Amino acid sequence: MQISSIFCLTLAAAASAIPTQVSKIIGNVKRQAPVESSIWGNSITGSPEYYDNNWANVTLPFPISFYGVNYSNLWVSINGILSPGPEQIQYPDTSSAIQNHIPVDSIAVGAGQERPDLPWVPEKALFALWQDLFVENAPIALHAVWTTTSGSAPSRIITFSWKVSSEGVVGGQIVEPEFSVSFREARPYIARIEYTDVADKGINAVIGIQSSFSTGVEWSYKTEALFNGDILAVNLDTQTFNIS
């Protein structure tokens, strides 16, 4: 697949929220209806454009904790990666679709060189389903990557969702993974990864977390470790995993 240059954008510059936020009164409790915001396309109509190897920076409604440090921004990759912080993603011509074992060391990422033949990922990263993923444009497919925010402070939840295509094939059919990563304001150090549709059971993906190029935990590396409906809870501070 041709690797496009990384296209960075802020959530504020993305398409408008879908739908408009509406308050609901249930008993004596005022609740906010979930608000969907587009990163690349949306969950209903898909994407008007094709996206591959892109990154976007999202401002969070509440800070999350990653290895004991609070962050108010997350970088999100089409390739199933989240990275904390507002810092600019580097190496714009280097692919984050090329996988390696976690932690991905500085040699593997090209030792500071822009090398499209070597993997590149941020130093701090959560690999929810790291593989070569992309968003096909509608009407070819209804693919998208988006966020949904629900609840009111101090009980808000933000969810990052992927409905994308991949290079994987099962039974002659292209694998189109659907998965999400949620963060709760009440427990900002826990990432809840839900695998809605993983037809290849993760055989083409790498899952794990790293806090540096020398420290990380690899939960699975291109193995059949997942089933549809699996939920993987990741403690971002202790780098531990619990599947249910």
Side-chain angles (χ1 to χ4, degrees):
M1 177 187 306
Q2 183 177 0
I3 299 173
S4 63
S5 296
I6 293 178
F7 176 71
C8 296
L9 71 162
T10 62
L11 187 61
S16 58
I18 305 171
T20 302
Q21 188 167 357
V22 177
S23 297
K24 294 183 178 180
I25 304 296
I26 302 177
N28 293 322
V29 180
K30 182 178 181 180
R31 297 184 180 179
Q32 300 292 343
V35 176
E36 178 181 318
S37 294
S38 167
I39 300 179
W40 301 289
N42 67 72
S43 62
I44 304 300
T45 60
S47 171
E49 298 183 49
Y50 172 87
Y51 293 102
D52 181 22
N53 208 45
N54 300 71
W55 288 86
N57 191 256
V58 174
T59 299
L60 302 170
F62 53 86
I64 66 165
S65 177
F66 192 96
Y67 214 61
V69 178
N70 288 335
Y71 294 90
S72 297
N73 294 72
L74 276 180
W75 284 97
V76 54
S77 166
I78 280 182
N79 295 320
I81 307 169
L82 292 171
S83 177
E87 296 83 3
Q88 183 71 23
I89 290 290
Q90 301 176 18
Y91 314 135
D93 294 320
T94 307
S95 174
S96 60
I98 304 172
Q99 300 152 308
N100 205 341
H101 284 285
I102 299 171
V104 184
D105 60 34
S106 58
I107 295 177
V109 299
Q113 304 174 54
E114 293 189 10
R115 291 279 303 278
D117 59 321
L118 292 174
W120 180 84
V121 295
E123 184 175 19
K124 298 177 178 64
L126 172 64
F127 304 90
L129 196 73
W130 181 22
Q131 63 184 104
D132 190 2
L133 303 174
F134 50 95
V135 171
E136 288 279 12
N137 56 292
I140 296 174
L142 297 180
H143 292 157
V145 180
W146 69 95
T147 67
T148 305
T149 303
S150 60
S152 302
S155 302
R156 290 170 291 185
I157 301 171
I158 183 168
T159 300
F160 293 80
S161 299
W162 285 257
K163 185 178 180 181
V164 290
S165 191
S166 74
E167 295 287 356
V169 177
V170 172
Q173 298 293 318
I174 295 175
V175 176
E176 297 180 290
E178 292 185 43
F179 61 100
S180 63
V181 182
S182 298
F183 301 92
R184 293 177 176 268
E185 190 172 12
R187 292 185 177 87
Y189 53 89
I190 299 293
R192 181 181 183 272
I193 310 173
E194 183 170 358
Y195 300 96
T196 305
D197 190 344
V198 280
D200 64 357
K201 300 181 180 179
I203 192 70
N204 296 300
V206 180
I207 299 170
I209 188 173
Q210 68 180 35
S211 57
S212 71
F213 290 133
S214 60
T215 304
V217 177
E218 184 173 272
W219 187 78
S220 70
Y221 181 85
K222 297 185 177 182
T223 58
E224 292 187 353
L226 297 172
F227 294 92
N228 291 349
D230 277 353
I231 296 174
L232 188 61
V234 185
N235 189 309
L236 303 174
D237 287 344
T238 62
Q239 299 191 0
T240 53
F241 295 78
N242 182 38
I243 193 164
S244 60

